[in-house]
Amino acid sequence: MTKLGMGMMRLPLVDENDQTSIDMEQVNKMVDLYMDAGFNCFDTAFVYHEGVGEAAFRESVVKRYPRDSFKVSTKLPLFVINEESQLEPLFAQQLENCGVDYFDYYMLHNVSGFTENAWKNVDLYSFIQKKKEEGYIKHIGISTHGNAEFLEEILFEHPELEFVLLQINYLDWDDEGIESRKCWEVARKYNKKVMIMEPYKGGFLADVPQEAEKLMKDYNPDRSVVSWAMRFVANIDDVCVVYTGASNFEQLESNIEEFKNADPLNDEELAILDEVSEIINSNITVDCTKCRYCVDSCTEEIDIAKIFDLYNKHKLLEKEDWTQFGNAYLNYSKLDGVGIASDCIECENCIEECPQQINIPEVLKDVAKTFETEIYGFEN
């Protein structure tokens, strides 16, 4: 039976410009709400919130609830691994960060072409298998944004893997670049359980274009836009958990309510989602899910994820001479020590980290042209 998981990738912040400034008071309330609703699966990672995400989990869950009352998944950060000697210290650090003696689920983080330096040159699979045998891990798996062919190669070569974490939502289901459906089919072929990430595609599916929302509301005015996305993922076969990345109490409250009422979509509703997907794809300028992997690799300290979010929202209102999102970019650009789009030096480090395969430097040129030249006429 599919469970609702609480992803801790986009936690509420005290300072929106500081990913480490997690609002622990609000996180504690969110955890209590989630646990009181009868759920208990948490997901974090070494790199979340610029390295303090696992500690936030420890403070909000481990120190406040008995160990047998929850399950936790985290991930080995392949982005920083170059040699085998790093593995033991990193794993020990993660146990300490999370405040636990074992992990229920442990993954190699984003196994793909972006992290091949780690998984090609270091025997990661033997390491996590060893940790499982020693009792420090209950179940081993991978997260990946690779395509179906790549996933099949991994699962064929490593039958010891028990599950995969995949990006699945109705927008990516038949997308030729993401291949969500095909990846899910590969996982089923090899009898692996599937965990789902990005069910709302970084928030895109919670705030769809008006034309798309009208299709949904005309069919059923009592259903929220979010409910369509939740009902799609909650009823896919062989899915053990759907992780949503709520960034405030209200979002989590909505996620819980929608999950509890996630009856299967009928054929007519699935056809409407096909139309909705076409509308959304025609309106999205940058296919960014705000995972922030690119931000960590940027030498110029550009908050690429935030900038792309403002840019996408501005583009949806592009017919207007002025938008609040363009104004927000202007205010953001004036903050001391913060990189803006025109600061990009085109080193392309970010491209290697982007699961969505976005040519980030090229898009940043468009952002700079739109926000910095055409609208406000200023130069960095």
Side-chain angles (χ1 to χ4, degrees), residues 29-42:
K29 291 179 181 179
M30 292 168 68
V31 168
D32 293 343
L33 171 71
Y34 173 75
M35 293 286 277
D36 288 346
F39 304 111
N40 68 348
C41 299
F42 297 89

Side-chain angles (χ1 to χ4, degrees), residues 140-159:
I140 57 175
I142 63 170
S143 71
T144 182
H145 293 274
N147 63 20
E149 181 180 3
F150 177 84
L151 178 60
E152 178 141 24
E153 291 177 3
I154 295 295
L155 296 184
F156 178 79
E157 293 175 4
H158 297 283

Side-chain angles (χ1 to χ4, degrees), residues 31-208:
V31 168
D32 293 343
L33 171 71
Y34 173 75
M35 293 286 277
D36 288 346
F39 304 111
N40 68 348
C41 299
F42 297 89
D43 178 71
T44 184
F46 186 83
V47 297
Y48 288 174
H49 284 275
E50 297 182 6
V52 301
E54 289 178 333
F57 163 76
R58 180 189 68 224
E59 297 300 312
S60 62
V61 181
V62 180
K63 289 188 175 182
R64 301 171 62 245
Y65 287 91
R67 180 63 182 93
D68 60 359
S69 68
F70 63 85
K71 295 182 179 181
V72 59
S73 65
T74 192
K75 312 167 187 74
L76 185 68
L78 307 194
F79 321 94
V80 301
I81 293 173
N82 298 305
E83 55 187 38
E84 190 170 344
S85 63
Q86 296 174 276
L87 299 180
E88 285 286 357
L90 267 172
F91 189 80
Q93 182 65 56
Q94 289 187 274
L95 286 172
E96 182 180 341
N97 288 347
C98 291
V100 296
D101 296 323
Y102 68 90
F103 297 117
D104 298 280
Y105 302 95
Y106 193 75
M107 291 168 257
L108 303 183
H109 199 171
N110 192 14
V111 179
S112 63
F114 311 121
T115 57
E116 65 178 4
N117 185 56
W119 55 263
K120 276 191 174 181
N121 299 322
V122 182
D123 191 359
L124 305 174
Y125 295 94
S126 294
F127 176 76
I128 60 174
Q129 179 67 21
K130 174 174 171 284
K131 289 302 173 186
K132 179 184 175 183
E133 293 168 357
E134 292 173 349
Y136 294 108
I137 302 171
K138 298 298 183 183
H139 303 284
I140 57 175
I142 63 170
S143 71
T144 182
H145 293 274
N147 63 20
E149 181 180 3
F150 177 84
L151 178 60
E152 178 141 24
E153 291 177 3
I154 295 295
L155 296 184
F156 178 79
E157 293 175 4
H158 297 283
E160 70 273 21
L161 295 172
E162 300 170 81
F163 67 93
V164 293
L165 176 63
L166 300 173
Q167 177 174 316
I168 295 180
N169 52 67
Y170 69 75
L171 192 64
D172 293 329
W173 189 239
D174 289 313
D175 185 275
E176 294 181 0
I178 306 299
E179 295 190 346
S180 287
R181 181 204 292 268
K182 290 181 179 179
C183 287
W184 168 76
E185 289 171 346
V186 168
R188 295 190 78 196
K189 175 182 175 180
Y190 287 88
N191 197 31
K192 309 299 180 184
K193 287 294 184 181
V194 173
M195 294 180 174
I196 288 179
M197 58 178 158
E198 303 291 2
Y200 302 134
K201 198 172 175 67
F204 271 125
L205 305 187
D207 187 20
V208 301

Side-chain angles (χ1 to χ4, degrees), residues 12 23-31 247-250:
D23 185 343
M24 291 305 304
E25 181 179 355
Q26 187 174 173
V27 172
N28 289 345
K29 291 179 181 179
M30 292 168 68
V31 168
S247 57
N248 57 53
F249 186 91
E250 291 74 23

